Amino acid sequence: MFLENKTTHFKRRVMTRVAELLFSRAAPLAFERIAHELIPRTGNPNRCCIQKDREIIRQRVIAVLGFGLEDTEELDQRLLADYVSVALARKKPDEPILSFINDACQACVKANYYITDVCRNCVAKPCIINCPKNAIEADEQRATIISTKCVNCGICQKVCPYHAIVYVPVPCEESCPAGAIQKNAEGREFIDYDKCIFCGKCIQACPFGAVVEKSQLVEVIVSLLSTKKTVAMIAPAIAGQFDGGIARLAGALKALI
């Protein structure tokens, strides 16, 4: 079952606005205003500031246009208008189809286990005694896990008499059936494309909307605006992604003609 959240709303708004501009044959420079339209100066930022929110929207636009986000130097130097011009001239996006918005990835946790305030700082301290990496320390209040030493073995959680230790998942890693997502040296997530099966579960799982796909929206709209015949084929699985069923989806597609 597909669940709505705030990140999916932003994804849809970005894709909708890009589609509107493409269908209207707007000038490439018009795409530069998308981030300002969706993140007005009078609004409350979702992250540290409006500028970061706008930069993430900008990178999301780049992904919708069919580009990867791995080359951070290019992202800093290239205008959205340049991406639009290249996208309109190409035949299809390059592979792989998944990418990360590094500025959106908050590197959820370094250690998957966390000692809560339920800890009573007991005398027995089985968490400390049984930790194979000496990754747990205790002060006068409670025990604490040292994330740089923790190997996520989970022994501390099993031996705690107060159930004070919780497992904190990394959503994208947990959702991946192929084990293709892990952290790099900077603590950011990256995709091992040799393992990735491109199922898209990480896109839905990430609560920061950091995992994106290189959309082929540009190619579809260019084809619809041309004189050549365009055929739409609906996979049955799409019924689980949108409300209304196959009949409503088919009607919406026909309305594009």
Side-chain angles (χ1 to χ4, degrees):
M1 181 180 178
F2 182 75
L3 299 177
E4 290 283 345
N5 57 56
K6 198 170 183 179
T7 60
T8 61
H9 291 170
F10 271 113
K11 292 175 186 177
R12 192 173 298 122
R13 290 175 65 191
V14 169
M15 186 167 283
T16 299
R17 189 64 185 123
V18 170
E20 289 172 346
L21 291 174
L22 290 171
F23 272 120
S24 66
R25 292 185 169 90
L29 281 174
F31 290 76
E32 302 284 354
R33 293 294 308 167
I34 294 178
H36 293 264
E37 293 171 5
L38 299 186
I39 309 293
R41 188 173 295 278
T42 56
N44 294 320
N46 296 296
R47 294 172 175 83
C48 63
C49 60
I50 288 175
Q51 285 70 28
K52 185 167 186 178
D53 280 348
R54 287 177 174 174
E55 173 58 25
I56 291 171
I57 291 293
R58 175 179 171 274
Q59 292 187 38
R60 194 174 296 285
V61 171
I62 293 171
V64 170
L65 292 171
F67 296 92
L69 304 168
E70 290 77 21
D71 191 337
T72 54
E73 184 174 345
E74 182 182 51
L75 290 175
D76 291 339
Q77 296 178 357
R78 200 172 184 181
L79 295 175
L80 267 181
D82 296 332
Y83 284 105
V84 174
S85 298
V86 173
L88 289 171
R90 67 157 186 254
K91 298 299 181 181
K92 66 177 182 179
D94 297 328
E95 294 184 350
I97 62 171
L98 293 180
S99 190
F100 264 103
I101 301 178
N102 286 324
D103 289 329
C105 179
Q106 301 295 310
C108 300
V109 291
K110 292 184 179 179
N112 289 104
Y113 291 90
Y114 176 75
I115 302 177
T116 68
D117 290 337
V118 177
C119 174
R120 307 309 300 162
N121 198 18
C122 64
V123 174
K125 292 182 173 52
C127 57
I128 294 177
I129 297 299
N130 291 282
C131 179
K133 295 297 182 180
N134 296 318
I136 303 179
E137 296 179 346
D139 55 22
E140 295 179 356
Q141 303 299 320
R142 63 182 177 88
T144 303
I145 295 176
I146 305 171
S147 62
T148 55
K149 293 183 178 181
C150 180
V151 294
N152 297 316
C153 66
I155 293 176
C156 56
Q157 184 187 45
K158 295 177 182 177
V159 300
C160 177
Y162 289 101
H163 302 289
I165 303 176
V166 297
Y167 176 77
V168 184
V170 177
C172 61
E173 292 180 6
E174 293 284 311
S175 69
C176 181
I181 302 180
Q182 54 189 304
K183 293 181 180 64
N184 60 19
E186 288 75 39
R188 303 283 182 178
E189 302 293 335
F190 75 94
I191 299 172
D192 183 344
Y193 293 111
D194 291 331
K195 295 180 180 179
C196 181
I197 58 175
F198 303 103
C199 64
K201 289 186 176 180
C202 53
I203 297 176
Q204 294 185 17
C206 178
F208 293 102
V211 191
V212 294
E213 61 180 336
K214 298 178 186 176
S215 168
Q216 290 185 271
L217 181 68
V218 175
E219 286 77 8
V220 171
I221 293 178
V222 167
S223 180
L224 289 172
L225 291 174
S226 70
T227 56
K228 65 182 180 180
K229 184 178 181 179
T230 303
V231 179
M233 298 178 64
I234 303 176
I238 200 172
Q241 300 180 30
F242 299 95
D243 294 331
I246 295 292
R248 187 175 178 184
L249 285 168
L253 289 171
K254 291 178 180 179
L256 292 175
I257 299 175

